Amino acid sequence: GQIAAGVGGLLQGLAAFSDVRLKEDIERVGTMDSGLPIFRYRYKGDPAHSLRMGVMAQHAERIFPDAVFTHPSGYKAVRYDKIS
């Protein structure tokens, strides 16, 4: 619904690190029409400790396998333009 549209609109066309291993203070806040859960979280080690919203790559990979890739660092990232 509305949350998914906001997330997709903000990040459309961008890839973002979305690996659950990089996040903390994770709280589910909604669900996309596809069934993909949407979360509020903070990145571990972020000096600003900013609150963010998005999906977890491990969940997205199950529904949209073509939208998820593994960065050379070993962490997963999501192409947000491919999940909306």
Side-chain angles (χ1 to χ4, degrees), residues 66-84:
D66 294 340
V68 178
F69 64 94
T70 302
H71 183 268
S73 66
Y75 292 107
K76 294 181 183 289
V78 173
R79 290 269 323 263
Y80 272 81
D81 60 322
K82 294 184 177 259
I83 65 169
S84 34

Side-chain angles (χ1 to χ4, degrees), residues 29-70:
V29 294
T31 306
M32 295 177 72
D33 292 340
S34 64
L36 188 59
I38 301 170
F39 297 90
R40 186 171 42 220
Y41 59 89
R42 298 178 201 284
Y43 281 112
K44 294 177 182 176
D46 175 10
H49 207 59
S50 301
L51 194 59
R52 302 175 188 269
M53 190 168 25
V55 301
M56 300 295 159
Q58 286 80 357
H59 293 139
E61 193 168 46
R62 294 181 206 140
I63 299 171
F64 301 102
D66 294 340
V68 178
F69 64 94
T70 302

